Amino acid sequence: MATDYYAVLGVRRDAGQDEIKKAFRRLARELHPDVNPDPKTQERFKEINAAYEVLSDPQKKQVYDLGGDPLSGASAGGAGGFGAGFGNFSDIMDAFFGTASQRGPRSRTRRGQDAMIRLDIELDEAAFGTTKDIQVDTAIVCTTCTGEGAAPGTSAQTCDMCRGRGEVSQVTRSFLGQVMTSRPCPQCQGFGTVVPTPCPECAGDGRVRSRRTLTVKIPAGVDNGTRIQLAGEGEVGPGGGPAGDLYVEIHELPHPVFQRRGDDLHCTVTIPMTAAALGTKCPLETLDGLEEVDIRPGTQSGQSIPLHQRGVTHLRGGGRGDLIVHVEVQTPTKLDPQQEELLRKIAELRGEERPAGHFQPGQQGLFSRLKDAFNGR
């Protein structure tokens, strides 16, 4: 009976290459002859090695899945317990020490960091949008060395310690025998090159700080905390690398009249008691100009009057919010005798108070309520 290589590695038949490789690494750490010299364990190690050789090779795996034997005529175990499954030395190093480190020198050119500034705007600018000029202090490419980091007339040179590889190697002993490990070159910090004469303007960094003026378009409907992204306007990277992005965070300044709630605006108008009773037209300076608010007769304190489409423009989609006008009725704090007599007559005509000062059962007269308010009761 043919060996079930999927069962040997403990994976499903539809397992991907990543899952197969992880299963192999786990078993290799447990069953390697240098870790567990038991003869039965060595046979088991040869089995997982053969299984990995087949399942990690797309062509061999296809032959096996079709019922063939891709290892016929070949030794599954190989000499010394290392078969074709360990043909790539990085596989065995990965199995014991994790993912192999990246080879080769590091690039001196890297992407710059993103930057962010806060921009204060007025309510009408947030409602309708605007254009602002802002000044930013960011790193830009050094014009003296054009980002190379070397002084004019000079250039970077190959590191003589690592010979341009960016890393140095050393041999150590372990249970596997002699193992060669690599680390970044201490002389060039892994770049593979050194700059013997750095640029005097940027000290070899390839960039300098500078103040620039940018024009930012503020869309209508922005609110506190809204961030506008300016691609490529952030910090230039080391070595003259590509710039990051600049984010402009909006901060809306308080308005003396209106309070914003979402895209709606709210304000309060105070009118005399007589205007609330008789009705009036109240002028109000809105974001769109001067308008008259229609106060209907009998308006009570605390009522609200909506002015549709007079709020903030919706940031996404058309239309605008509303302007909600809250009415506050002002009660007079001091009455002269004539005014008091007039109010008394109004109360009598409305049947709210009798001339002798006796009140209707269960009802307090208007005049008495006013006097209570004046006396702070």
Side-chain angles (χ1 to χ4, degrees), residues 73-371:
S75 173
F82 291 91
F86 278 117
N88 186 343
F89 185 70
S90 65
D91 285 341
I92 189 171
M93 293 303 293
D94 288 350
F96 286 93
F97 302 109
T99 303
S101 60
Q102 182 178 355
R103 300 289 180 175
R106 294 191 297 134
S107 173
R108 290 185 179 273
T109 302
R110 301 192 301 277
R111 183 184 183 274
Q113 294 183 342
D114 295 337
M116 186 177 70
I117 64 171
R118 193 176 85 161
L119 179 62
D120 295 337
I121 64 173
E122 301 290 345
L123 174 60
D124 59 330
E125 294 175 325
F128 303 120
T130 186
T131 300
K132 289 279 190 178
D133 288 336
I134 60 173
Q135 290 193 344
V136 294
D137 292 316
T138 57
I140 63 172
V141 175
C142 176
T143 56
T144 302
C145 66
T146 62
E148 295 294 330
T154 67
S155 61
Q157 298 180 2
T158 301
C159 176
D160 56 9
M161 178 177 285
C162 66
R163 301 185 184 279
R165 296 194 305 272
E167 59 185 14
V168 291
S169 303
Q170 63 181 16
V171 178
T172 57
R173 296 188 62 82
S174 72
F175 62 84
L176 293 176
Q178 290 186 338
V179 177
M180 179 178 293
T181 59
S182 299
R183 60 187 177 89
C185 174
Q187 179 167 293
C188 66
Q189 285 76 50
F191 293 118
T193 59
V194 294
V195 181
T197 310
C199 172
E201 185 70 23
C202 65
D205 191 43
R207 54 183 182 168
V208 294
R209 300 203 70 81
S210 176
R211 173 167 293 185
R212 299 176 293 146
T213 299
L214 300 175
T215 300
V216 183
K217 183 178 180 181
I218 310 299
V222 295
D223 202 349
N224 273 321
T226 300
R227 291 184 179 180
I228 301 171
Q229 181 182 11
L230 303 180
E233 296 293 353
E235 301 275 350
V236 166
D245 299 334
L246 175 66
Y247 291 87
V248 180
E249 185 174 88
I250 298 300
H251 177 252
E252 185 180 295
L253 297 172
H255 193 273
V257 176
F258 303 115
Q259 296 82 45
R260 180 175 177 179
R261 301 175 191 170
D263 289 339
D264 291 336
L265 298 178
H266 294 256
C267 71
T268 300
V269 296
T270 303
I271 61 175
M273 182 180 63
T274 53
L278 301 175
T280 186
K281 298 285 187 179
C282 180
L284 176 64
E285 188 68 38
T286 71
L287 296 183
D288 298 274
L290 186 65
E291 296 196 21
E292 287 190 338
V293 181
D294 185 15
I295 307 295
R296 296 184 179 180
T299 297
Q300 302 296 305
S301 188
Q303 282 188 244
S304 59
I305 302 171
L307 300 181
H308 299 295
Q309 297 291 314
R310 292 296 185 271
V312 177
T313 304
H314 299 314
L315 182 60
R316 296 176 179 84
R320 295 170 60 183
D322 298 332
L323 171 57
I324 311 299
V325 180
H326 300 271
V327 179
E328 181 180 274
V329 179
Q330 186 179 46
T331 303
T333 58
K334 186 177 181 181
L335 296 173
D336 59 32
Q338 184 179 5
Q339 293 170 335
E340 184 175 335
E341 182 62 26
L342 287 174
L343 285 178
R344 188 183 296 275
K345 289 182 178 180
I346 292 174
E348 292 175 3
L349 290 173
R350 291 174 57 86
E352 295 177 345
E353 184 172 320
R354 296 184 182 276
H358 299 288
F359 308 116
Q360 296 179 4
Q363 182 180 23
Q364 186 181 26
L366 170 63
F367 182 67
S368 296
R369 291 201 301 271
L370 291 175
K371 291 185 69 175

